[in-house]
Amino acid sequence: INDGSKDDSERVIRKLCEKKFSNIAIRYISQTNMGVAQARNTGIDIATGKFLMFLDQDDWLDPMCVQNLMKKAQDSCADEVIGGYRLVDQEGKVITSWKMQSKYEWSKFRIVAPWGKVFKRELIDQHQIRFLNTKISEDLYFNILFMSYTDQIEVISDIGYNWLNNNQSESHTNWNRISEDRNPIIVLEHLQAKIAGSVYLNKELLAYFFAKYIMSEKIKKKILFQCIECVLGGLREITLHIENGR
């Protein structure tokens, strides 16, 4: 999905599309820039496979990543399988890695990103699960919403996804911007309304997950920015009234 890129992404993708692969079919979609949530939703809308997997544009997979995830999905009849990941810097050096442990139910909540996992498309289509059209935590919304419809979720210890630590990417710079569609509280309110009746989610783990999310440094900073913006907005309104002699 080319979400309105301004570099040479289209040329690279079209060159790949011209190649012949024995077991891979590439479908290229270009759209005006609508953000990562809408780009992923476009992919969901046109997908035809039994399972879905998401890969961000600057990340990469180990050769056996998909095979290991799908083997577990097929062997266990799972609706979702979650693997681990490495955080890698621009020089290819591993900064840290997350290895999932199947014996802990908390492992299902450890990675909020949609990548490094496979999701059964039938469940996504059945419940019309999509990414919330927001610029923050759209991945958290999707993951928890999917989990609210099934308990057939498996975890494998394999680490096959490589996440590039790009300080200029949207996921890094997004936290320093203020707007209504970057308010984490609104995301949580939308999600809570959707999952309120779920019988699959562990309520204690979910409560802990939300508390941990809200207390994370990025979110605390984001909420503080939102509060400051509200205060400044009020002061600007007061100043305007004073200047107008009201």
Side-chain angles (χ1 to χ4, degrees), residues 183-197:
N183 187 339
I185 301 302
I186 291 178
V187 175
L188 294 182
E189 288 175 345
H190 277 282
L191 181 57
Q192 184 59 37
K194 285 280 191 178
I195 66 175

Side-chain angles (χ1 to χ4, degrees), residues 6-204:
K6 297 181 180 179
D7 54 16
D8 65 342
S9 294
E10 182 167 10
R11 179 189 63 80
V12 173
I13 297 171
R14 290 195 178 281
K15 190 173 182 179
L16 277 174
C17 290
E18 292 173 359
K19 292 186 176 182
K20 302 297 183 181
F21 299 96
S22 61
N23 58 348
I24 299 176
I26 301 176
R27 182 175 180 184
Y28 173 56
I29 302 295
S30 181
Q31 63 184 33
T32 57
N33 180 253
M34 294 186 284
V36 63
Q38 291 298 80
R40 288 172 179 160
N41 287 339
T42 297
I44 294 173
D45 290 341
I46 65 172
T48 59
K50 187 174 181 179
F51 281 82
L52 299 183
M53 186 176 188
F54 298 95
L55 174 69
D56 285 353
Q57 74 280 5
D58 48 5
D59 300 339
W60 67 96
L61 306 174
D62 285 358
M64 295 295 290
C65 179
V66 177
Q67 183 172 331
N68 290 336
L69 290 167
M70 287 306 304
K71 184 179 186 306
K72 185 64 174 181
Q74 292 166 354
D75 290 348
S76 62
C77 297
D79 292 325
E80 177 184 0
V81 180
I82 304 169
Y85 74 91
R86 303 178 195 89
L87 180 62
V88 186
D89 66 16
Q90 300 281 353
E91 284 72 46
K93 181 181 178 181
V94 177
I95 300 171
T96 188
S97 60
W98 289 65
K99 186 175 183 178
M100 301 296 103
Q101 295 179 296
S102 58
K103 63 180 179 179
Y104 298 122
E105 190 176 356
W106 173 246
S107 293
K108 300 174 184 178
F109 292 88
R110 288 185 66 188
I111 302 176
V112 298
W115 40 250
K117 311 169 182 179
V118 290
F119 302 87
K120 185 173 286 185
R121 186 174 64 86
E122 180 182 6
L123 192 69
I124 290 175
D125 288 347
Q126 179 183 351
H127 298 286
Q128 282 298 295
I129 302 171
R130 295 294 186 272
F131 289 89
L132 187 65
N133 190 20
T134 176
K135 296 185 182 300
I136 187 173
S137 298
E138 78 292 330
D139 40 13
L140 178 151
Y141 176 90
F142 180 90
N143 279 323
I144 301 298
L145 185 57
F146 186 94
M147 291 169 62
S148 73
Y149 289 110
T150 180
D151 57 359
Q152 300 301 305
I153 301 173
E154 297 291 338
V155 173
I156 61 174
S157 59
D158 178 70
I159 298 177
Y161 192 94
N162 299 277
W163 178 26
L164 181 66
N165 186 39
N166 181 0
N167 292 326
Q168 301 304 313
S169 68
E170 177 74 7
S171 60
H172 280 81
T173 60
N174 213 2
W175 298 95
N176 296 323
R177 307 177 200 170
I178 300 295
S179 66
E180 189 68 12
D181 55 3
R182 290 184 173 88
N183 187 339
I185 301 302
I186 291 178
V187 175
L188 294 182
E189 288 175 345
H190 277 282
L191 181 57
Q192 184 59 37
K194 285 280 191 178
I195 66 175
S198 173
V199 298
Y200 296 111
L201 290 169
N202 183 314
K203 298 301 190 293
E204 291 183 357

